[in-house]
Amino acid sequence: MSKKNVLVTGGAGYIGSHAVKKLIENGDNPIILDNFSTGNKWALQDCEFFDCDLLDNNKLKGIFAKNSFDYVMHFAGKSLVGESVQKPSLYYENNVSGSINLLNACIDSDIDKIIFSSSAAVYGDPKSELINENHQTKPKNPYGQSKLFIEKILEDAFIAYGVSSISFRYFNAAGADPLGTIGEFHEPETHLIPNVIMKLISQKNSKKLKIFGDTYQTKDGTCVRDYIHVNDIASAHIKAFDFLDKNSKSHIFNLGNGSGFSVLEVINTVKNKLNLNKISYEIAPPRNGDPAVLVADSAKANSLLNWNPNNSNIENIINDAINWHRSNNL
Ligand code: UFG
């Protein structure tokens, strides 16, 4: 197939907008569907878009009736671990019900290839140093549980309706497009890397940087995460087309870089990049729902998709994130 029509839900969001940019670079035709609840109009790339909530079934069906899509990339959803602990219904409704509506629309329109944004949050506390796709799934928060439900729904959808899918379990998406035109921006920002950068390079963030917990069983007591460059996540989605065309089924792949960095290591890397002598932070209580360590084994994506996290060196991720924050005066 030459130029592919790809519906991208959440295409105005952080990861979705980077995927849209990659699709355009790849010569494909992305069509964005977003309700702009957390996505941003400025992140829209040069392509068609629909302002639509996945919970608005009538509007959704109307869009599917009038357009033809070869694939669906499903990024839309709520994605904050802490918020999900406080507002589980919001997560189950938006993520699970929204995904069911989308799946039904696909089935009605004979669209049988879906690429879904799942999360490392499905695993819970790791039983091994590196987590592969066969690791037990015991989410510690409603966000991870909502993603696990959707994976299961997609598995059943292949058996019942022949809809093939890839669920990509992202580890910690970070960084920004190196050109600085799109990057990570949430309001309020809760993610570690943008929080540290904003704290250190702009005066707008007056609150003291908090480290959530320093007594975890990790190298320095702070949580360890596997940071993966957002453009590496986007490129895996491009590789997914060919794989899905040749392998009808529901599949699961981790997307991580295989190295864990603690909160303190991230803070120090940003500090060094900015040539600062010292920074101030406070130790706050652990955040509910946070596993101590999450680091990926992504050998499956490497061998079956020929995917490599080429941009995911932590220094590179932080350089691109700093560049994005500086060029947008955030
Ligand atoms: N953290 C701080 N201070 C902050 C922000 C974060 O100490 O100001 C800590 C968190 O407690 C956590 C680590 O930094 O230990 C990373 O936190 P993030 O909020 O950046 O990311 P999460 O690990 O909570 O979650 C992210 C995505 C999820 C995804 C998960 C997968 O937001 O969608 O990665 O690993 F599921």
Side-chain angles (χ1 to χ4, degrees), residues 78-82 118-122 141 143-144 170-173 184 189-196 209-213 216 222-227 263 267 286-287 290-292 294:
K78 299 280 168 199
S79 63
L80 300 179
V81 167
S118 187
S119 169
V122 300
N141 49 68
Y143 165 64
Y170 310 152
F171 282 64
N172 285 54
E184 184 165 18
E189 187 53 78
T190 64
H191 293 97
L192 180 66
I193 292 179
N195 263 352
V196 177
L209 182 66
K210 287 185 177 162
I211 295 181
F212 298 123
Y216 286 101
T222 64
C223 283
V224 169
R225 293 289 182 272
D226 176 328
Y227 294 91
V263 173
I267 293 174
R287 212 170 52 176
D290 266 352
L294 282 173

Side-chain angles (χ1 to χ4, degrees), residues 49-69:
F49 77 92
F50 295 102
D51 187 341
C52 176
D53 193 316
L54 288 176
L55 297 176
D56 186 344
N57 232 333
N58 286 337
K59 194 166 182 183
L60 189 64
K61 281 182 180 165
I63 292 169
F64 272 76
K66 290 197 195 110
N67 294 274
S68 93
F69 308 120

Side-chain angles (χ1 to χ4, degrees), residues 164-209:
S164 290
S165 62
I166 289 183
S167 294
F168 279 128
R169 291 177 176 167
Y170 310 152
F171 282 64
N172 285 54
D177 191 73
L179 298 180
T181 53
I182 45 175
E184 184 165 18
F185 179 80
H186 304 99
E187 256 180 328
E189 187 53 78
T190 64
H191 293 97
L192 180 66
I193 292 179
N195 263 352
V196 177
I197 293 173
M198 283 197 286
K199 183 71 219 154
L200 298 188
I201 69 173
S202 90
Q203 304 307 314
K204 290 177 195 159
N205 186 351
S206 56
K207 284 195 193 141
K208 200 164 198 179
L209 182 66

Side-chain angles (χ1 to χ4, degrees), residues 201-275:
I201 69 173
S202 90
Q203 304 307 314
K204 290 177 195 159
N205 186 351
S206 56
K207 284 195 193 141
K208 200 164 198 179
L209 182 66
K210 287 185 177 162
I211 295 181
F212 298 123
D214 68 345
T215 55
Y216 286 101
Q217 296 294 308
T218 59
K219 44 188 153 185
D220 59 22
T222 64
C223 283
V224 169
R225 293 289 182 272
D226 176 328
Y227 294 91
I228 173 88
H229 197 292
V230 64
N231 271 349
D232 287 335
I233 293 182
S235 30
H237 288 67
I238 304 292
K239 292 186 178 270
F241 294 139
D242 196 38
F243 183 81
L244 269 183
D245 291 346
K246 294 181 183 146
N247 300 280
S248 303
K249 217 185 118 191
S250 67
H251 306 271
I252 290 173
F253 287 97
N254 280 345
L255 295 180
N257 87 67
S259 311
F261 291 88
S262 71
V263 173
L264 276 170
E265 285 174 331
V266 167
I267 293 174
N268 280 324
T269 310
V270 179
K271 187 188 89 176
N272 293 339
K273 290 273 161 215
L274 294 172
N275 285 323

